[in-house]
Amino acid sequence: DIQMTQSPSTLSASVGDRVTITCRASQSISSWLAWYQQKPGKAPKLLIYKASSLESGVPSRFSGSGSGTEFTLTISSLQPDDFATYYCQHYNSYPWTFGQGTKVEIK
Amino acid sequence: EVQLLESGGGLVQPGGSLRLSCAASGFTFSSYAMSWVRQAPGKGLEWVSAISGSGGTTYYADSVKGRFTISRDNSKNTLYLQMNSLRAEDTALYYCAKRSGSAAAGISYFDYWGQGTLVTVSS
């Protein structure tokens, strides 16, 4: 199985900060990576697919990059609505696995 | 508007059974693969099972293989998860998720999620 490792596990930041979350795959997954945002008590929401494609309706301050085994999610200017937990997930092959999550907290 | 509404969760004793349902609307249900994803309290996301749009192909995580069965009724736009021999470690919020493609093992991501139904396994 492909293992997904996110860093950091927790991130403290202020409104307006540029935030970067890293996700590493244990083997190459080409660009078959998605990013999700989850707020407390809510279902995950798709932000990015195919490593860098922005889902419709997602603010342009979110961007994704990378290929192979290393990927990043960047929030260009953190907004109050962005404080949440973020998960990466590969869909290169069965079984699909998620990173352990990165919680973005208010500094 | 895509909507996924899970039901069927509850409290069950270890070794017991439960059947989850997910009613789908807002898209051509039979054209898309579907999955169940769970989240234990305070923990991350774990993919559980997948089924193709036709229902002919299914996949399971090793942790549930042989105990859980995924199925779908395309005439009712409904996804199911039959859970048998439940264990304490199966306690979680179970989400129904739509895949972006039709093949069970295809390269497709989870583009829509339901709100989840809570399963608690405890004596």
Side-chain angles (χ1 to χ4, degrees):
Chain A
D1 298 1
I2 298 172
Q3 307 303 316
M4 307 301 292
T5 304
Q6 287 181 234
S7 60
S9 295
T10 306
L11 187 160
S12 296
S14 302
V15 172
D17 284 353
R18 182 181 181 88
V19 166
T20 298
I21 299 169
T22 297
C23 177
R24 290 186 174 85
S26 59
Q27 64 188 71
S28 178
I29 57 170
S30 184
S31 295
W32 306 122
L33 184 98
W35 289 97
Y36 304 89
Q37 176 194 65
Q38 187 179 34
K39 297 180 181 178
K42 300 293 186 181
K45 172 189 172 184
L46 176 68
L47 298 176
I48 302 281
Y49 61 93
K50 205 175 179 183
S52 61
S53 295
L54 193 68
E55 173 69 350
S56 176
V58 174
S60 59
R61 62 181 179 272
F62 290 92
S63 64
S65 65
S67 66
T69 62
E70 187 150 340
F71 303 86
T72 59
L73 173 70
T74 300
I75 308 172
S76 60
S77 178
L78 197 66
Q79 298 302 301
D81 191 48
D82 302 336
F83 291 96
T85 300
Y86 294 84
Y87 293 93
C88 64
Q89 176 240 332
H90 88 81
Y91 53 100
N92 180 71
S93 59
Y94 151 82
W96 303 269
T97 51
F98 294 85
Q100 80 277 18
T102 295
K103 185 176 183 180
V104 177
E105 298 181 328
I106 300 173
K107 189 172 184 179
Chain B
E1 178 192 6
V2 172
Q3 291 193 343
L4 299 169
L5 184 62
E6 302 95 335
S7 61
L11 174 64
V12 61
Q13 292 188 340
S17 298
L18 215 52
R19 188 197 199 199
L20 307 183
S21 298
C22 171
S25 62
F27 64 102
T28 305
F29 185 65
S30 60
S31 294
Y32 293 93
M34 298 292 293
S35 277
W36 289 97
V37 178
R38 69 184 179 184
Q39 187 169 35
K43 302 297 184 182
L45 300 168
E46 179 190 17
W47 168 77
V48 172
S49 185
I51 189 168
S52 62
S54 67
T57 306
T58 58
Y59 291 90
Y60 299 93
D62 286 346
S63 58
V64 307
K65 200 172 294 183
R67 300 187 299 122
F68 290 11
T69 302
I70 191 172
S71 62
R72 63 192 297 161
D73 185 336
N74 285 345
S75 69
K76 296 182 178 179
N77 288 353
T78 302
L79 176 72
Y80 302 100
L81 186 67
Q82 178 66 44
M83 304 186 295
N84 298 331
S85 303
L86 282 161
R87 306 166 179 167
E89 54 265 35
D90 295 319
T91 294
L93 188 62
Y94 283 74
Y95 292 104
C96 163
K98 174 186 171 292
R99 298 265 302 282
S100 58
S102 63
I107 297 179
S108 62
Y109 45 89
F110 305 114
D111 54 0
Y112 291 93
W113 300 64
Q115 288 305 304
T117 186
L118 181 62
V119 172
T120 303
V121 184
S122 175
S123 55

